Amino acid sequence: MTTTDTNPTGETRASATVVDKAQYGLAGFLVIAGGYVLYDASTLDKAFADQPVQPYALPYLVGAALLLLGVLLAVATARGDKPEAEEGEDVDLSQGTDLRTIGLLVAVLVANLLLIDWLGWAITGALLFAGTTYVLGSRTWVRNLAIGAALSFGSWYGFYVGLGLPIPAGILDGVL
């Protein structure tokens, strides 16, 4: 595909459109992923014959969507469509990565991993929420701990009671 440009002297000349080849790579990845999902869905056993929606219905839908999106992206790329660059609406792109914040977030996650068996999810989940919000700028400890406790206790009961999946109760074993 070519376009016409006018140079400063007023002459018109044809110029080739630059094609973003990375988009072809993404399109190819989508097609391969969609094909694999479709193949994998075809290997699933039929579950209950009396069910209107079989277990392979959703993978077939997802695989077909991935294939379609990959083909549409390849066609759009061939037509010369290019994605717009991120303007960084609320992000200062000239600043580097804040390694202190990333390090503190990693420390909070590692502390959660080390303490979850001993203290249990209900406690460490609240500490994880409160620590993460503190690292990201919130300074209201009581509110953060209350929200974290509500989320962690709710998720503990949701998984343990609702789904029957055991989550470490830690020192609250027998209380929860």
Side-chain angles (χ1 to χ4, degrees), residues 47-65:
F48 302 101
D50 62 344
Q51 297 296 316
V53 179
Q54 294 294 317
Y56 51 77
L58 187 62
Y60 275 128
L61 183 66
V62 170

Side-chain angles (χ1 to χ4, degrees), residues 73-86:
L73 180 60
V75 168
T77 303
R79 290 178 146 180
D81 290 347
K82 290 187 283 188
E84 292 184 24
E86 173 65 39

